[in-house]
Amino acid sequence: MAASPGPAGGAAAGAVHGSGPFGLAFDSGLEIKTRSVEQTLLPLVSQITTLINHKDNTKKSDKTLQAIQRVGQAVNLAVGRFVKVGEAIANENWDLKEEINIACIEAKQAGETIAALTDMSSLNRPESDGQITIFTDKTGVIKAARLLLSSVTKVLLLADRVVIKQIIRSRNKVLATMERLEKVNSFQEFVQIFSQFGNEMVEFAHLTGDRQNDLKDEKKKAKMAAARAVLEKCTMMLLTASKTCLRHPNCESAHKNKEGVFDRMKVALDKVIEIVTECKPNGETDISSISIFTGIKEFKMNIETLRENLYFQSKETLSAMLDALLERTEDFTDCAYTSHEHRERILELSAQARMELQQLISVWIEAQSKKTKSIDEELELAILKISHSLNELKKELHSTAAQLAADLVKYHADHVVLKALKLTGVEGNLEGLAEYACKLSEQKERLVETCRLLRHVSGTEPLEITCIHAEETFQVTGQQIISAAETLTLHPSSKIAKENLDVFCEAWESQISDMLTLLREINDVFEGRRGEKYGYLSLPKPMEQAKIAKLGLKLGLLTSDANCEIEKWEDQEDEIVRYGRNMSSMAYSLYLFTRGEGPIKTSQDLMHQLEAFAEEGLKLASSVQAFSKQLKDDDKHMLLLEINKLVPLCHQLQAVTKIPLQNQVFLKVDKSITKTRCIMATLVQLLSLCYKLLKKLQMENNRWVSVTNKDSVDGKT
């Protein structure tokens, strides 16, 4: 499997991937096809929205008619690609074939209807007076669009069912092989079964990796990342722990160590299924309490409703909410590692919040009986006071948890206890083992306690999940290190027992390192540096947002044009095609940004994407230049003219990305999107020209081969 989930929201959610070269090593075909369905669907939806929102009173200039026709054609082409993917999925899943095929037929009919209604090619001819178009039958377009979206949704839901079934089947295979591994008695048998287990885990890794990437819920994504990280690390632990058991079959600590690995893997496998099926075993519910920061956020939202409605909340509800919230601060005040100063300040701020709630309730009751300006001002002041106190409490709690975590990570960075356990093991020193096992247990308890406190101040749900994952990892791994160390101490000359202890110690060290990253991300969220979505980089005026969205729509259409050109190529792995596809994909992410959607959230994200896009454009230009060397002079000259347009545009875009943002956010975004559109327009022309010249070159080569063969035959004659 891939790397462990980084310790934080974004990192946790996205650190375990199933794509890339490793992802393509295993391919049932379905996960790639399903992803292709979604990629096809996204531009489809935006183009349909454009058609439905088309204004009847728009001037029927040639430019307008051409734009409408292009949108209609793009929709129909996208539907064609979508239907192909849907049919491929249907052919591989006979139980759903009929349902998927019916939905595909509906989609195809709707796409053809939209193409016909947007066909403006003959509108200005005299015989076109009775032609039905979008101008005469907008209702028809809306009906076709609804049918299309309905059928597309059906196919996606059915494809989703297929993916879920495939993940469950894969999990069941892994579990069955794990049961065989638990019972194995010989090295030879173990090696054979573990080889099969490894292949099954690779398959499961890719299926769940693709699923994780497709999840829209950040909390679920973080949970999936955590579960997959457990499976990844436990796979290596399972190997060494099982080998140690086989080498020392009568060693109780070795068996305990191995059982711990198997138990944790089974829990992680169940967690994955719980996430993909969205149901807990035996109807269980999530009993984990909400964090203090979440509680404060909810409480403040409730008191702020009093500004609009004095009767929306009850006094009892607000009092109970604050009591529950402040009760959770006992995790900090009861913690043995909290400093006296922090403890006193937390208790002081908690008492102040209780007092200010009583003051708020008193003013609130008065405001319900008489409505005056002075009472409104008193109520506003009471709301602001308690909000301020809770903000101060948040700062104190964050400072307490962050300081504890930073000190702890720094103190244990040299891993003295782990080194001592390894040394006592190879020396067979049982007294030393007892001493350092006790020290590791104390260290583990302190780390677990600190993770609980960090969870309270994490600020986002994905970060909360990562704190819980870290807490569980320290809890379980700490016990497993001690059992592995005990095995080595009882068998000090055992190489496999030493290797096993090393594996568990590495997992511990890795989690300590992850905790530092977790702390950094929690600090970033607290200080407002990340964690929220910044639509349009916080463009200040609706007019600016509208302009960016309009620029983006044209960019979205150009990505469709580029995709159409790419699909013409027979060799989809050709360098020119590969770079073109990458540029189209990046441009589509930029288009989503103009709608306030997609993966690009911040100015830094946008600049990184633009730099990567420009770099990919320069790589494409280099590949096209290499291709031009195979051409005759006239064709070569024609191609070089297009390259000479692309290269300066890419350099200009790179220059734009280096301009300081300051207060010119809109201007920078505007320039960037405009340059990207120019590059995409050039890309479409370049792909089309390269394809034509490639075909021409192939025909000439075939003709030359044919003539050469004929001459050869004549010579023999």
Side-chain angles (χ1 to χ4, degrees), residues 20-34:
F22 179 64
L24 295 177
F26 161 76
D27 171 26
S28 68
L30 177 61
E31 67 273 19
I32 292 174
K33 291 187 179 75
T34 308

Side-chain angles (χ1 to χ4, degrees), residues 181 184 186-198 239 243 246:
L181 280 172
V184 76
S186 72
F187 269 107
Q188 188 178 358
E189 188 184 1
F190 173 78
V191 169
Q192 289 174 345
I193 298 173
F194 192 83
S195 176
Q196 178 188 337
F197 173 74
L239 174 63
K243 284 164 69 178
L246 288 168

Side-chain angles (χ1 to χ4, degrees), residues 394-457:
K394 275 179 70 175
K395 285 180 187 175
E396 192 62 33
L397 295 172
H398 173 266
S399 173
T400 304
Q403 187 177 321
L404 278 172
D407 290 346
L408 195 55
V409 170
K410 186 178 178 182
Y411 182 72
H412 294 296
D414 52 4
H415 306 294
V416 171
V417 176
L418 297 184
K419 290 172 184 174
L421 277 170
K422 290 178 184 180
L423 187 61
T424 56
V426 294
E427 290 175 348
N429 182 351
L430 288 169
E431 286 183 9
L433 169 69
E435 179 189 343
Y436 289 108
C438 185
K439 287 185 177 180
L440 185 70
S441 294
E442 289 172 5
Q443 184 180 328
K444 178 198 73 178
E445 289 305 319
R446 190 165 181 179
L447 284 162
V448 165
E449 187 83 9
T450 304
C451 287
R452 285 177 191 154
L453 300 186
L454 284 174
R455 178 179 168 245
H456 278 305
V457 302

Side-chain angles (χ1 to χ4, degrees), residues 175-453:
L175 272 177
T177 308
M178 279 176 66
E179 284 180 19
R180 291 173 63 200
L181 280 172
E182 280 186 280
K183 297 170 185 173
V184 76
N185 291 316
S186 72
F187 269 107
Q188 188 178 358
E189 188 184 1
F190 173 78
V191 169
Q192 289 174 345
I193 298 173
F194 192 83
S195 176
Q196 178 188 337
F197 173 74
N199 291 332
E200 289 168 355
M201 285 299 289
V202 168
E203 176 183 338
F204 190 72
H206 289 299
L207 289 171
T208 54
D210 289 327
R211 186 68 177 181
Q212 180 186 318
N213 292 337
D214 291 339
L215 288 170
K216 303 296 183 286
D217 186 319
E218 291 299 321
K219 186 176 180 180
K220 287 180 184 173
K221 192 174 274 195
K223 283 184 175 180
M224 179 72 89
R228 294 181 72 242
V230 169
L231 292 170
E232 175 221 340
K233 288 187 177 175
C234 282
T235 300
M236 179 53 73
M237 293 173 179
L238 185 145
L239 174 63
T240 57
S242 297
K243 284 164 69 178
T244 305
C245 260
L246 288 168
R247 182 61 55 86
H248 309 290
N250 300 320
C251 182
E252 188 181 336
S253 58
H255 283 282
K256 183 181 176 183
N257 182 259
K258 186 184 90 166
E259 285 163 12
V261 178
F262 275 95
D263 289 346
R264 196 166 189 221
M265 287 190 81
K266 287 171 186 174
V267 170
L269 287 166
D270 288 342
K271 180 63 71 178
V272 169
I273 299 305
E274 179 189 312
I275 295 162
V276 298
T277 59
E278 298 186 340
C279 60
K280 291 180 177 286
N282 306 319
E284 294 172 16
T285 55
D286 192 351
I287 57 170
S288 59
S289 61
I290 63 170
S291 69
I292 295 174
F293 272 28
T294 303
I296 289 174
K297 184 180 177 182
E298 290 178 2
F299 181 80
K300 285 169 70 177
M301 285 169 61
N302 276 275
I303 61 170
E304 283 165 5
T305 60
L306 297 176
R307 293 185 175 117
E308 306 298 327
N309 188 342
L310 293 171
Y311 303 93
F312 184 71
Q313 298 287 344
S314 71
K315 291 85 181 169
E316 295 75 19
T317 300
L318 280 185
S319 294
M321 281 184 76
L322 186 65
D323 286 342
L325 189 160
L326 295 178
E327 187 179 332
R328 288 195 284 278
T329 63
E330 291 174 8
D331 288 349
F332 287 78
T333 54
D334 292 350
C335 175
Y337 314 112
T338 302
S339 69
H340 177 72
E341 292 76 12
H342 280 306
R343 185 178 290 108
E344 289 299 309
R345 182 65 177 147
I346 291 166
L347 290 170
E348 180 189 330
L349 289 168
S350 298
Q352 189 175 330
R354 281 197 172 93
M355 183 182 70
E356 281 168 356
L357 177 61
Q358 292 308 312
Q359 179 63 28
L360 173 63
I361 289 172
S362 175
V363 177
W364 181 9
I365 292 168
E366 193 176 349
Q368 286 177 330
S369 59
K370 55 181 180 179
K371 186 76 175 170
T372 65
K373 186 178 179 182
S374 62
I375 284 293
D376 287 346
E377 288 173 354
E378 281 187 51
L379 181 65
E380 180 64 23
L381 183 61
I383 291 170
L384 291 173
K385 274 187 174 181
I386 192 168
S387 294
H388 176 72
S389 289
L390 291 173
N391 286 339
E392 289 300 305
L393 180 60
K394 275 179 70 175
K395 285 180 187 175
E396 192 62 33
L397 295 172
H398 173 266
S399 173
T400 304
Q403 187 177 321
L404 278 172
D407 290 346
L408 195 55
V409 170
K410 186 178 178 182
Y411 182 72
H412 294 296
D414 52 4
H415 306 294
V416 171
V417 176
L418 297 184
K419 290 172 184 174
L421 277 170
K422 290 178 184 180
L423 187 61
T424 56
V426 294
E427 290 175 348
N429 182 351
L430 288 169
E431 286 183 9
L433 169 69
E435 179 189 343
Y436 289 108
C438 185
K439 287 185 177 180
L440 185 70
S441 294
E442 289 172 5
Q443 184 180 328
K444 178 198 73 178
E445 289 305 319
R446 190 165 181 179
L447 284 162
V448 165
E449 187 83 9
T450 304
C451 287
R452 285 177 191 154
L453 300 186

Side-chain angles (χ1 to χ4, degrees), residues 46 74 76 99 168 195 203 259 305 348 433 474 523 606 644 670:
S46 64
N76 199 25
E99 289 180 79
I168 292 171
S195 176
E203 176 183 338
E259 285 163 12
T305 60
E348 180 189 330
L433 169 69
F474 284 126
N523 287 337
L606 179 64
N644 290 339
D670 183 33

Side-chain angles (χ1 to χ4, degrees), residues 680-699:
M680 283 302 293
T682 307
L683 173 67
V684 172
Q685 295 296 325
L686 201 52
L687 287 169
S688 176
L689 182 57
C690 284
Y691 177 74
K692 288 172 186 171
L693 293 174
L694 177 65
K695 284 291 176 189
K696 183 179 176 183
L697 185 65
Q698 287 172 343
M699 285 176 66

Side-chain angles (χ1 to χ4, degrees), residues 79 82-83 102-112 148 151-152:
V79 171
F82 174 84
V83 167
I102 290 170
C104 285
I105 290 167
E106 289 176 356
K108 192 174 181 182
Q109 289 171 346
E112 288 169 354
L148 180 54
S151 55
V152 162

